[in-house]
């Protein structure tokens, strides 16, 4: 099937980007305005509102359903594959669509029941600014899909291809003839990792610059659809709410702006990124739910002590209405989070992806809340506990474990994955890299960890800890020591109810299982290896990689 796709070999592509990559990019933002914007304006062709930005971009919006029906840049049409338009979700259906011009700005407003969606154009810019205000669950999820014609761009990260010939899971995970797997879910990146997603030929770039996700859910480490390519074209996504492996309740309200940006091949202007974009020109447009920068606040922390400097730290703010995050400075932990809606938030400090501190902070309109140095208590970081041995480290992710990197962009059955079975010997130097990042009831349950204890250690009771980052079908670890002592089956912690481990995500709710092992369970021969068998317990799930499973953060035996 893939052999039928036209793939011009002269083209190259970028997929994801951050501010660091944009220094030499051709600007697509306000600084890139055309010297002459005489053609700026709109017309009505009977079926669509036709907006000419006065630069090199002309786009059309359907008057009946608010779909983006045409996206022409420098005379070339990029919109459309499979007979579908670009739109919210899979298309809103019958809607009320209006258009208005205010000076150098044109705003198209779409109303579909309680949902409102907006397109804006600025004179002389090759950008389409979008906002979506979702008030309730009448639209099940919220995403905007830019659908791009086939053959316009190559894809330099092929894992998101969706035209591999064999379906191996649901209707969205596929396998090629060489055993590699493909899915639109396989993006590799968390929300915190990217500012934009898209493609370039070297002379034309088509990008979606993400919003700040303040009304999305899942936090900074959430993984979701970013883009895909199929036999009949490609899709670029801005996911505003997605239920797959979701850890939070859905938030409602206005999200945006996010931006469709066309360039001469370079990355979109950094002035469009969520952290830098100011929309004072939109303050008076009457967008439902819009809050101007002057009515938002800022949180600044002078520093964070008690950090492990080997790890990056992130500070998150969240309540039922909004979420934000920012990076803590490596040297001292200073952080600043701007553009925050007024309210009281839970402040969380993450070591990697592991929460190690929580507090509360109030944000006021137009004000800055300055926090004194935050002290992370030593007991809040499980890595500080003295351990006889430890596999992995406590950072809230399966990083370093076998197959961990691959699993963010491949199915566990992928030919590139190392064997999911195989036992581990503490002291071998390969404890972590040999231990599989995921455990399943029907695949590798019962994996064995071999370890030795001194006479003093074997004479005492010890606590074993197993940290997990998510679970599928209530999978949780039950342990057996030396085939003589068996733990109780622990209760399952709260975790997302959808697929996770097979769709590129280990991000759920971090949880630590503890097991109090009596001294009588250990071998008294100090030269012999004790055995720890880890089983996956659950009455749910099906078979193979959809049997009950869990992702591992760290395992240790405390002194």
């Amino acid at each position: 099937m893939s052999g039928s796709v036209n793939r011009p070999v002269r083209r190259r592509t970028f997929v994801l980007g951050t501010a660091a990559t944009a220094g030499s990019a051709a600007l697509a933002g306000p600084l890139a305005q055309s010297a002459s914007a005489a053609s700026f304006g709109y017309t009505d062709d009977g079926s669509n509102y036709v907006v000419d930005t006065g630069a090199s971009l002309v786009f059309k919006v359907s008057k009946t359903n608010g779909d983006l029906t045409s996206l022409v840049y420098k005379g070339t049409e990029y919109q459309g594959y499979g007979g579908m338009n670009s739109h919210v979700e899979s298309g809103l259906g019958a809607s009320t669509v209006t258009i208005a011009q205010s000076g150098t700005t044109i705003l198209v407003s779409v109303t579909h029941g309680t949902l409102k969606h907006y397109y804006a154009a600025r004179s002389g810019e090759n950008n389409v600014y979008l906002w979506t205000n979702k008030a309730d669950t009448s639209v099940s999820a919220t995403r905007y899909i830019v659908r791009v014609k086939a053959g316009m761009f190559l894809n330099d990260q092929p894992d998101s291809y969706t035209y591999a010939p064999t379906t191996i899971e649901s209707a969205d995970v596929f396998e090629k003839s060489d055993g590699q797997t493909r899915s639109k879910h396989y993006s590799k990146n968390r929300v915190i990792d990217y500012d934009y997603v898209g493609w370039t030929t070297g002379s034309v770039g088509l990008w979606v610059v993400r919003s700040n996700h303040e009304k999305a859910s899942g936090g900074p480490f959430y993984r979701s659809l970013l883009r895909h390519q199929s036999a009949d074209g490609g899709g670029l996504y801005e996911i505003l709410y997605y239920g797959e492996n979701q850890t939070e309740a859905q938030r409602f309200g206005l999200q945006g702006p996010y931006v469709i940006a066309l360039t001469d091949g370079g990355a979109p202007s950094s002035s469009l990124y969520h952290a830098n974009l100011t929309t004072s020109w939109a303050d008076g447009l009457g967008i439902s739910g819009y809050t101007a920068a002057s009515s938002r606040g800022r949180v600044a922390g002078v520093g964070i002590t008690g950090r492990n400097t080997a790890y990056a730290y992130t500070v998150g703010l969240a309540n039922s209405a909004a979420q934000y995050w920012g990076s803590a400075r490596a040297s001292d932990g200073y952080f600043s989070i701007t553009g925050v809606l007024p309210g009281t938030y839970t402040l969380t400090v993450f070591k990697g992806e592991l929460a190690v501190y929580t507090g509360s902070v109030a944000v006021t309109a137009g004000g800055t809340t300055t926090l004194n140095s935050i002290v992370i208590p030593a007991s809040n970081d499980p890595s500080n506990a003295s351990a006889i041995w430890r596999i992995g480290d406590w950072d809230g992710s399966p990083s370093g474990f076998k197959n961990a990197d691959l699993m963010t962009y491949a199915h566990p059955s992928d030919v590139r994955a190392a064997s999911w079975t195989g036992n581990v010997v503490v002291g071998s130097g390969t404890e972590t890299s040999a231990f599989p990042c995921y455990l399943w009831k029907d695949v590798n349950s019962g994996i064995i960890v071999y370890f030795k204890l001194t006479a003093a250690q074997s004479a005492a009771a010890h606590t074993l800890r197993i940290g997990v980052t998510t679970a599928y079908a209530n999978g949780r670890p039950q342990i057996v020591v030396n085939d003589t002592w068996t733990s109780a089956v622990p209760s399952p912690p709260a975790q997302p109810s959808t697929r996770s481990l097979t769709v590129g995500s280990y991000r759920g709710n971090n949880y630590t299982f503890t097991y109090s092992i009596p001294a009588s369970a250990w071998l008294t021969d100090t030269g012999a290896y004790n055995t720890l068998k880890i089983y996956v317990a659950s009455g749910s799930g099906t078979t193979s990689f959809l049997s009950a499973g869990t992702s591992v953060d760290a395992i240790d035996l405390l002194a």
Side-chain angles (χ1 to χ4, degrees):
M1 184 174 182
S2 60
S4 65
V5 179
N6 181 22
R7 301 175 182 173
V9 297
R10 67 182 182 280
R11 290 174 173 158
R12 62 185 181 87
T13 66
F14 298 113
V15 176
L16 297 167
T18 64
T21 66
S24 61
L27 296 182
L31 297 180
Q33 292 190 8
S34 171
S36 174
S39 60
F40 177 73
Y42 71 89
T43 58
D44 182 340
D45 70 3
S47 299
N48 307 278
Y49 291 119
V50 183
V51 179
D52 190 329
T53 66
S56 300
L57 176 63
V58 177
F59 64 92
K60 297 181 181 181
V61 178
S62 167
K63 294 168 57 180
T64 58
N65 59 22
D67 285 2
L68 185 72
T69 60
S70 177
L71 191 67
V72 175
Y73 180 64
K74 294 185 177 179
T76 298
E77 177 67 77
Y78 288 89
Q79 151 60 35
Y81 72 78
M84 294 181 285
N85 298 320
S86 299
H87 41 220
V88 174
E89 203 43 28
S90 296
L92 293 175
S95 304
T96 300
V97 184
T98 60
I99 192 167
Q101 182 170 341
S102 176
T104 58
T105 302
I106 295 171
L107 183 71
V108 180
S109 302
V110 182
T111 300
H112 178 78
T114 61
L115 186 142
K116 298 181 184 299
H117 179 70
Y118 303 90
Y119 302 88
R122 297 276 288 160
S123 178
E125 294 183 22
N126 292 314
N127 304 314
V128 184
Y129 297 85
L130 302 94
W131 290 263
T132 305
N133 189 336
K134 180 178 178 179
D136 52 40
T137 59
S138 58
V139 176
S140 60
T142 309
R143 61 185 179 181
Y144 193 89
I145 309 175
V146 179
R147 301 188 187 272
V148 183
K149 291 171 62 176
M152 306 305 293
F153 301 97
L154 285 179
N155 186 343
D156 69 347
Q157 286 191 333
D159 304 288
S160 62
Y161 283 8
T162 57
Y163 50 79
T166 304
T167 302
I168 61 171
E169 184 178 302
S170 187
D172 55 11
V173 183
F174 309 94
E175 184 179 70
K176 294 174 58 184
S177 58
D178 62 4
Q180 292 192 15
T181 53
R182 301 287 186 260
S183 176
K184 62 183 180 181
H185 297 286
Y186 298 154
S187 67
K188 298 186 182 181
N189 285 264
R190 308 165 301 175
V191 176
I192 197 174
D193 295 328
Y194 70 95
D195 293 306
Y196 59 87
V197 57
W199 296 294
T200 181
T201 65
S203 59
V204 174
L206 174 56
W207 316 96
V208 169
V209 183
R210 76 165 174 86
S211 69
N212 68 353
H213 277 219
E214 70 180 1
K215 295 290 186 177
S217 298
F221 313 122
Y222 187 65
R223 282 183 165 84
S224 189
L225 309 186
L226 294 182
R227 63 87 185 264
H228 78 274
Q229 282 190 321
S230 62
D232 55 358
L236 300 178
Y237 295 84
E238 166 70 344
I239 298 293
L240 304 175
Y241 175 76
Y242 195 57
E244 193 87 75
N245 204 39
Q246 182 58 253
T247 59
E248 294 184 302
Q250 185 171 181
R251 294 181 172 94
F252 298 105
L254 184 69
Q255 297 204 60
Y258 49 104
V259 187
I260 303 171
L262 280 298
T263 73
D264 61 3
S269 168
S270 61
S271 66
L272 299 177
Y273 300 170
H274 64 281
N276 303 313
L277 182 62
T278 57
T279 53
S280 57
W281 53 264
D283 290 355
L285 295 179
I287 294 173
S288 175
Y290 183 90
T291 303
S294 60
S295 297
R296 295 170 176 267
R298 172 175 173 257
V299 177
V302 300
I304 303 172
T305 62
R307 293 174 297 119
N308 181 337
T309 56
Y311 290 90
Y313 282 71
T314 301
V315 179
L317 305 176
N319 61 21
S320 61
Q323 62 171 5
Y324 307 91
W325 55 82
S327 298
R329 192 160 62 193
S331 60
D332 56 9
Y334 168 84
F335 62 91
S336 176
I337 304 173
T338 60
V340 181
L341 292 172
T344 299
Y345 293 84
T346 297
L347 181 151
T348 305
V349 178
F350 298 92
K351 168 198 172 186
E353 298 184 21
L354 182 68
V356 292
Y357 175 90
T358 58
S360 181
V361 61
V363 179
T364 58
T368 295
T369 302
T370 302
L371 304 176
N372 293 325
S373 185
I374 293 174
V375 180
I376 301 174
S379 59
N380 283 18
D381 185 345
S383 297
N384 291 328
S386 178
I388 297 171
W389 53 261
R390 177 170 292 142
I391 301 174
D393 197 11
W394 297 88
D395 65 355
S397 81
S399 177
F401 285 92
K402 182 165 63 173
N403 292 326
D405 290 341
L406 179 66
M407 286 302 97
T408 62
Y409 61 95
H411 191 268
S413 65
D414 195 289
V415 69
R416 293 168 289 180
S419 172
W420 289 103
T421 58
N423 301 320
V424 175
V425 179
V426 172
S428 64
T430 60
E431 298 95 327
T432 301
S433 61
F435 197 99
C437 63
Y438 299 161
L439 300 173
W440 289 274
K441 186 175 182 179
D442 200 35
V443 176
N444 55 356
S445 183
I447 192 168
I448 303 174
V449 177
Y450 294 91
F451 60 96
K452 293 181 179 181
L453 298 176
T454 66
Q457 290 167 344
S458 61
H462 297 286
T463 297
L464 180 87
R465 303 186 298 185
I466 300 178
V468 303
T469 70
T470 196
Y472 176 68
N474 287 329
R476 65 269 196 198
Q478 182 183 27
I479 65 170
V480 176
V481 177
N482 290 320
D483 293 325
T484 60
W485 184 87
T486 302
S487 73
V489 177
S491 298
Q495 296 289 2
S497 59
T498 63
R499 290 177 300 165
S500 54
L501 308 181
T502 59
V503 290
S505 179
Y506 57 77
R507 176 76 275 124
N509 296 312
N510 288 99
Y511 186 83
T512 301
F513 295 91
T514 59
Y515 310 84
S516 298
I517 304 173
S520 59
W522 310 123
L523 300 180
T524 56
D525 181 356
T526 58
Y529 280 103
N530 289 270
T531 60
L532 167 69
K533 295 181 180 179
I534 304 175
Y535 294 90
V536 176
S538 178
S540 303
T542 56
T543 60
S544 188
F545 296 109
L546 288 178
S547 63
T550 190
S551 171
V552 181
D553 179 10
I555 305 170
D556 56 20
L557 184 66
L558 300 186

